[in-house]
Amino acid sequence: MIEEIRKVEEEIKHALEKIKTKEDLENFRRIFLVRKGKIQELFDGLRKVSKEEKPIVGKYLNELKEFTEKKFKELSELISKGDEKKSQIDLTLSGRTDYIGHFHPVYQTMEKMVNIFVELGFRVAEGPDIEDEYHNFDALNFPPEHPARDMQDTFFIKSDKKLLLRTHTSPVQIRVMHNKPLPIRYIMPGRVYRNEAISARSLAEFHQIEGLYINHNVTFAELKGTMVEFSERMFGKNLRFRFRPSFFPFTEPSAELDITCFLCRGKGCRVCKYSGWLEIAGCGMVHPNVLKAGGIDPETYTGFAFGLGIERVAMLLSGIDDIRLFYANDMRLLTQF
Ligand code: PHE
């Protein structure tokens, strides 16, 4: 009898190892655990066992039954859990894809602006981010103690007070005048730095595009025409323009350019602060002192210059109202461009 039990025990252990699915489990139950199964058969056989042997054989058999039921229960739980997991997998979902890199929205805006000016006949020039006082201020007609120098809080480079991080792209005007033949028709994109408190409207590091045209008989009308043409290509047709008198040491006369808010078409909205107008550029006729500093005779040549903030244009075009978002490196924003 013991031999028979041992045989069935072996069979059970062997069968347990093979159980993988619900069906295997059910088969196993039918063979061993039902009323007509192999374990019950052994119990039936107990009748034939002698009185002396009965307690030992009975104990052995009971242990085998308990063992088998326990294993069966464990396996059923394991398999039904696995099924649950499987049912959570949605085979119709599309797979995960990797992010494909692309240009930053500020760079994309700059490229668009540069391309329009190139179409209008401008060439592209660049200057260094670390400038000297001469190019950033002196040559641009900022008098030594003029408050205009404070207008643009400057990061000076400690070891040498004469070196600084440029506060605007205008110093490249001087470099272009020194290095390029006349007539000059250049745009100068680049990064600029100001020691400013960081807020939704301003950063300590941002981008500008400078423009400079110098030739015989350049007039304010040409400045206006250039700005209008650029704006229409950049922001769309049917805009109105407003050149407001302003002041820069390096231009005279100077103006700030407003265009109709293209988001509300002038009706007034959050972005234009309910004025219907957006300020997009500083501009003016190049000051004679600046032409002189650039080695150009102001009696023979005249010119115009303008400066546009790139982040500002990117914000206007995308409706983003916090400039800091551009540099937060948040993929939720960046992947929208
Ligand atoms: N440099 C000026 C600024 O940073 C902009 C400007 C450029 C104004 C050229 C007039 C002409 O605000």
Side-chain angles (χ1 to χ4, degrees):
M1 180 74 193
I2 295 278
E3 261 322 295
E4 270 174 62
I5 302 176
R6 202 159 276 151
K7 240 179 84 195
V8 174
E9 185 182 7
E10 281 309 309
E11 267 179 62
I12 288 174
K13 284 186 176 161
H14 192 71
L16 279 171
E17 272 172 34
K18 298 216 155 141
I19 295 179
K20 296 261 158 6
T21 65
K22 261 191 183 153
E23 289 73 48
D24 297 342
L25 209 61
E26 179 58 13
N27 271 340
F28 179 86
R29 193 183 70 88
R30 285 222 194 112
I31 297 168
F32 298 105
L33 291 171
V34 291
R35 281 241 253 124
K36 289 200 167 132
K38 289 198 174 176
I39 289 177
Q40 189 54 46
E41 234 170 57
L42 290 171
F43 273 105
D44 294 343
L46 270 182
R47 272 179 284 136
K48 288 181 242 154
V49 176
S50 68
K51 248 193 187 150
E52 297 78 47
E53 275 184 328
K54 219 173 227 171
I56 306 161
V57 178
K59 190 168 172 251
Y60 183 22
L61 200 50
N62 268 322
E63 275 170 6
L64 178 65
K65 192 184 171 203
E66 269 169 37
F67 166 83
T68 311
E69 283 171 344
K70 195 172 135 233
K71 283 283 173 200
F72 177 80
K73 216 177 129 206
E74 280 173 13
L75 278 172
S76 328
E77 277 166 15
L78 219 81
I79 286 173
S80 63
K81 242 191 220 153
D83 279 358
E84 245 170 58
K85 253 196 204 143
K86 257 186 232 152
S87 67
Q88 282 169 3
I89 298 172
D90 181 350
L91 296 175
T92 63
L93 273 180
S94 53
R96 278 173 206 217
T97 49
D98 287 331
Y99 287 122
I100 295 173
H102 60 75
F103 286 117
H104 189 276
V106 170
Y107 187 92
Q108 287 182 34
T109 308
M110 180 182 87
E111 205 172 37
K112 203 171 163 198
M113 295 166 82
V114 166
N115 284 341
I116 292 172
F117 284 117
V118 167
E119 283 166 16
L120 296 180
F122 287 82
R123 286 165 170 259
V124 181
E126 285 178 307
D129 288 21
I130 297 176
E131 265 296 1
D132 48 44
E133 279 199 291
Y134 170 75
H135 288 91
N136 198 82
F137 291 125
D138 301 337
L140 289 167
N141 198 37
F142 286 76
E145 297 307 325
H146 198 280
R149 290 198 195 231
D150 299 332
M151 229 163 71
Q152 307 179 334
D153 299 3
T154 308
F155 285 117
F156 284 96
I157 288 170
K158 276 207 184 90
S159 58
D160 184 350
K161 276 265 175 193
K162 296 270 169 228
L163 285 183
L164 47 85
L165 294 177
R166 64 179 177 192
T167 58
H168 51 176
T169 41
S170 301
V172 194
Q173 285 189 31
I174 304 299
R175 294 181 179 277
V176 166
M177 286 186 223
H178 285 154
N179 297 318
K180 305 289 181 191
L182 286 157
I184 283 168
R185 199 189 278 110
Y186 274 90
I187 48 157
M188 299 147 257
R191 202 175 285 230
V192 302
Y193 308 82
R194 290 182 194 177
N195 192 358
E196 257 179 299
I198 290 167
S199 72
R201 309 212 123 247
S202 61
L203 291 173
E205 194 181 322
F206 57 102
H207 297 78
Q208 291 186 331
I209 292 187
E210 191 83 8
L212 179 67
Y213 175 44
I214 301 172
N215 206 344
H216 295 290
N217 306 315
V218 176
T219 66
F220 200 93
E222 283 168 285
L223 168 59
K224 286 171 89 173
T226 304
M227 298 320 289
V228 166
E229 188 61 32
F230 163 76
S231 303
E232 288 190 335
R233 293 193 193 194
M234 192 76 201
F235 305 112
K237 295 256 176 216
N238 302 321
L239 298 169
R240 292 176 63 221
F241 296 87
R242 193 164 77 172
F243 287 81
R244 263 186 302 107
S246 184
F247 174 80
F248 300 101
F250 36 92
T251 46
E252 182 60 34
S254 304
E256 254 154 297
L257 168 59
D258 298 341
I259 62 172
T260 321
C261 176
F262 49 80
L263 294 166
C264 65
R265 290 275 143 195
K267 286 196 197 80
C269 69
R270 201 170 45 90
V271 175
C272 63
K273 294 201 225 112
Y274 302 97
S275 69
W277 294 99
L278 296 171
E279 183 189 314
I280 63 153
C283 58
M285 302 306 290
V286 181
H287 195 288
N289 288 349
V290 175
L291 289 171
K292 272 188 222 158
I296 294 166
D297 178 8
E299 298 299 329
T300 326
Y301 287 96
T302 53
F304 68 70
F306 57 84
L308 294 143
I310 300 178
E311 278 84 354
R312 174 150 175 81
V313 170
M315 283 168 83
L316 294 175
L317 285 175
S318 59
I320 288 174
D321 58 6
D322 189 330
I323 193 169
R324 292 169 294 194
L325 286 173
F326 284 130
Y327 299 105
N329 276 339
D330 187 333
M331 291 307 280
R332 289 173 301 179
L333 178 115
L334 296 177
T335 49
Q336 292 181 54
F337 289 86

